[in-house]
Amino acid sequence: MNKLQGCKMAATSATAFSIRSTASSSPKDGQATHSKVVNIKFNSKNCFGSFSGLKASNSVNCESESSFLGNESCADLSGSYCGGIRKRSQRCYSYVQPHASYKVAVLGAAGDIGQPLALLIKMFPLVSALNLYDIADVKGVAVDLSHCNTPSRVADFTGASELADCLKGADVVVIPAGVPRERGMTPDDLFNINASIVKTLVEAVADNCPDALIHIISSPVNSTVPMAAEILKQKGVYDPKKLFGVTTLDVVRANTFVSQEKNLRLIDVDVPVVGGHAGITILPLLSKAKPSVTFSDEQVQELTVRIQNAGAGSATLSMAYAAARFVESSLRALDGDSDVYECAYVQSNVTELPFFASRIKLGRKGVEAVISSELHGLTDYEHKALETLKPELKASIEKGVAFVGSFIS
């Protein structure tokens, strides 16, 4: 399990890559530099590592058609992948290029969250095209990113007239557009500003890429996701398995804070966070943390409040990181990874509320399963907190639904 990310990820089939290996002798040997293309195949049930800390494959199979990269060199390459190659008289530089095949659109890419998010997505080897949209100032961001030597091609789209072109053919749409939450802002303040922006963007998604996975970051997620669902229903393209409110930041914070409190390796910590994505609707289930940890009642309360209020001001870099992690998980699931889990705010029946954040299993078609087991056997504190958050979350859901209804009546 990728404990740093709070999700399990394992490849279901071998993946082939092309590698160009260059070996050069020291100048005093007077030997020429050799360069050959070989094939490499990963047969592990664990995906190769990425920037977000995914576990590396524990075996690698090299198939060479070149006498230059013979059995001994293959063994060395295998060793370098799994545990670090031993330094020899020669240096070996290997370039791994997985097949990129997915188009991702970021709506609001010139913003404080959109820019670092786009950079992180640009790093993903599964992305073939990265489309960046904003109402202004996105061209420079796209040009800058296009200089990064990763597989995806970057394109920029500015203004309403180019929104449709940005979305056509997208597999994943990420929406960080709108005003981020500033200190002192209430969820109502945010919703009044961002609702119209999100409405316009979701309508465009419905018209141009109705089968895409939709990741909503725009605050307040508790309201914007139900609002998006109503818009998609009106358009006749709503699929509850493909609409997500990104709450990954709450999990990232919970894992970080628990690891600090207990002096644990961060990669070992996984804390599920349920409910919603604002204030008291954020409920970290510390009793379900892995590895199992013990806190006093006072510590539980203090840590819960800290996780809930860590975003009282505007979060940008950590939000971009968390959103990128969720995008990466979605891409891996689309690509056939059968063991991908994240916490997200989705249509759900684990409580009486129509939308609720909990752990989900991701698959090729979006939400493959909503995991309800973590809501069983809660502590008294967690059970009380769960019942306390429900009225506020219910009101936020109704606000999003009512906003769309106001345009119909």
Side-chain angles (χ1 to χ4, degrees):
M1 178 175 182
N2 176 11
K3 298 176 182 177
L4 172 61
Q5 300 305 330
C7 65
K8 296 180 179 179
M9 297 184 178
T12 57
S13 61
T15 304
F17 301 90
S18 294
I19 290 184
R20 180 171 296 278
S21 180
T22 302
S24 59
S25 307
S26 59
K28 67 180 181 180
D29 294 332
Q31 297 178 357
T33 297
H34 303 278
S35 178
K36 295 289 184 181
V37 176
V38 298
N39 294 322
I40 183 168
K41 184 179 293 183
F42 299 97
N43 289 320
S44 170
K45 289 186 178 180
N46 292 318
C47 293
F48 62 88
S50 74
F51 87 94
S52 55
L54 300 179
K55 284 187 176 179
S57 195
N58 54 24
S59 68
V60 58
N61 178 32
C62 303
E63 300 173 353
S64 175
E65 298 177 353
S66 165
S67 59
F68 166 69
L69 194 61
N71 292 336
E72 183 178 352
S73 296
C74 286
D76 287 344
L77 181 57
S78 176
S80 74
Y81 187 84
C82 303
I85 190 171
R86 293 180 179 179
K87 292 184 178 179
R88 301 178 185 272
S89 60
Q90 292 183 328
R91 294 179 181 179
C92 182
Y93 302 94
S94 298
Y95 305 94
V96 179
Q97 182 62 70
H99 178 61
S101 56
Y102 297 98
K103 178 183 288 188
V104 178
V106 179
L107 310 185
D112 290 342
I113 295 172
Q115 290 194 43
L117 172 58
L119 172 60
L120 294 175
I121 294 174
K122 182 72 170 71
M123 296 169 66
F124 295 164
L126 288 172
V127 178
S128 59
L130 177 58
N131 287 359
L132 307 182
Y133 171 83
D134 216 313
I135 57 173
D137 302 326
V138 73
K139 186 175 292 293
V141 176
V143 170
D144 198 2
L145 281 181
S146 70
H147 298 166
C148 299
N149 61 327
T150 62
S152 56
R153 287 181 290 182
V154 182
D156 61 277
F157 302 85
T158 302
S161 63
E162 298 184 6
L163 179 55
D165 289 337
C166 173
L167 292 169
K168 288 176 182 176
D171 299 291
V172 176
V173 178
V174 193
I175 307 180
V179 176
R181 185 179 181 185
E182 300 293 345
R183 189 171 299 276
M185 270 191 176
T186 67
D188 285 345
D189 294 334
L190 274 177
F191 184 75
N192 292 335
I193 297 171
N194 288 342
S196 296
I197 297 172
V198 175
K199 177 178 179 293
T200 298
L201 298 177
V202 173
E203 287 174 340
V205 172
D207 292 337
N208 296 282
C209 54
D211 293 327
L213 301 185
I214 307 172
H215 296 178
I216 294 185
I217 301 170
S218 305
S219 298
V221 165
N222 291 355
S223 297
T224 53
V225 172
M227 183 188 77
E230 292 302 307
I231 294 168
L232 295 169
K233 288 176 186 177
Q234 286 185 12
K235 293 282 189 175
V237 296
Y238 178 52
D239 184 346
K241 295 180 180 180
K242 295 185 176 182
L243 177 63
F244 307 88
V246 180
T247 63
T248 319
L249 180 56
D250 302 328
V251 177
V252 167
R253 286 171 170 156
N255 291 349
T256 300
F257 298 162
V258 167
S259 71
Q260 292 171 347
E261 289 289 328
K262 293 299 182 180
N263 196 29
L264 298 170
R265 293 194 315 161
L266 186 55
I267 195 172
D268 293 330
V269 180
D270 175 25
V271 182
V273 182
V274 303
H277 188 51
I280 66 166
T281 69
I282 300 170
L283 178 56
L285 300 181
L286 299 174
S287 69
K288 306 291 183 178
K290 296 178 182 179
S292 180
V293 291
T294 302
F295 294 102
S296 68
D297 292 345
E298 183 179 357
Q299 287 175 320
V300 168
Q301 183 174 356
E302 289 177 352
L303 193 52
T304 298
V305 171
R306 183 184 176 195
I307 294 167
Q308 291 172 340
N309 293 337
S314 177
T316 52
L317 296 178
S318 57
M319 182 67 247
Y321 166 80
R325 167 182 146 173
F326 192 81
V327 171
E328 182 184 45
S329 293
S330 295
L331 291 170
R332 292 189 179 277
L334 285 174
D335 201 46
D337 193 325
S338 63
D339 204 17
V340 182
Y341 294 81
E342 287 283 1
C343 289
Y345 182 64
V346 297
Q347 181 173 310
S348 170
N349 59 6
V350 298
T351 69
E352 64 273 23
L353 298 173
F355 289 88
F356 195 81
S358 62
R359 198 184 301 275
I360 60 173
K361 181 178 182 180
L362 289 162
R364 287 186 182 275
K365 297 182 179 180
V367 179
E368 192 168 290
V370 178
I371 312 302
S372 61
S373 58
E374 288 171 333
L375 290 178
H376 301 158
L378 300 179
T379 66
D380 290 342
Y381 176 84
E382 290 167 344
H383 179 73
K384 183 179 179 181
L386 176 60
E387 294 306 312
T388 300
L389 73 82
K390 286 180 180 178
E392 182 166 325
L393 185 53
K394 181 175 182 289
S396 296
I397 294 170
E398 291 173 347
K399 179 183 288 292
V401 174
F403 177 83
V404 179
S406 66
F407 288 88
I408 301 174
S409 56

